[in-house]
Amino acid sequence: MSYEVSGVTLEATENGYLVDQSQWNEEVAKVIAEAEGITLSEKAWEIINYLRDEYFNNNNNQPMERQINKDMAKIWGKKVSSKDMYRLFPKAPSKQGNKIAGLPYVARKGGY
């Protein structure tokens, strides 16, 4: 699998995750999101930036959904439910969000 971004072909795994995370930028995120059928809202971008920050600035941490909900509640100043997250990333914020954020696949089950 691959993505075409500005005339450049970016290699991806069979699940659609970038092989080389250093190739990621916002334009790449938009192309991946489009392939996933997602329109990136301001809140979706905040989650993407949060996921990237956790990964690159917190020892490659890839938080599970419960932690994403808790941390986004702090950022947004209101309670955040799983339903809120799945409206933004229908195939799971910890999976689909990581894919759009250009991060590696997380091979785990559950959000707790």
Side-chain angles (χ1 to χ4, degrees):
M1 175 171 207
S2 63
Y3 298 105
E4 286 291 323
V5 182
S6 299
V8 176
T9 301
L10 305 179
E11 188 179 352
T13 66
E14 64 183 42
N15 294 328
Y17 290 80
L18 287 179
V19 171
D20 180 358
Q21 286 93 32
S22 71
Q23 294 180 308
W24 186 91
N25 60 40
E26 288 188 6
E27 188 176 355
V28 172
K30 290 175 186 174
V31 169
I32 297 171
E34 184 179 328
E36 292 287 310
I38 292 176
T39 301
L40 295 174
S41 66
E42 183 179 330
K43 289 192 183 277
W45 277 112
E46 289 174 348
I47 294 168
I48 289 166
N49 291 326
Y50 159 79
L51 292 170
R52 289 185 60 79
D53 182 62
E54 281 295 304
Y55 186 79
F56 290 110
N57 298 319
N58 194 11
N59 200 27
N60 297 340
N61 182 40
Q62 291 183 282
M64 292 196 288
E65 291 171 27
R66 185 174 184 190
Q67 191 62 50
I68 294 170
N69 290 357
K70 286 181 175 184
D71 290 342
M72 295 316 295
K74 291 175 190 171
I75 292 168
W76 294 340
K78 66 176 188 169
K79 183 176 168 98
V80 177
S81 70
S82 291
K83 194 180 238 186
D84 297 326
M85 292 290 128
Y86 277 82
R87 279 190 198 110
L88 298 169
F89 300 104
K91 295 179 184 170
S94 64
K95 302 268 187 201
Q96 200 170 34
N98 278 332
K99 182 188 293 187
I100 295 168
L103 301 174
Y105 176 75
V106 179
R108 63 174 177 240
K109 291 172 59 176
Y112 296 86

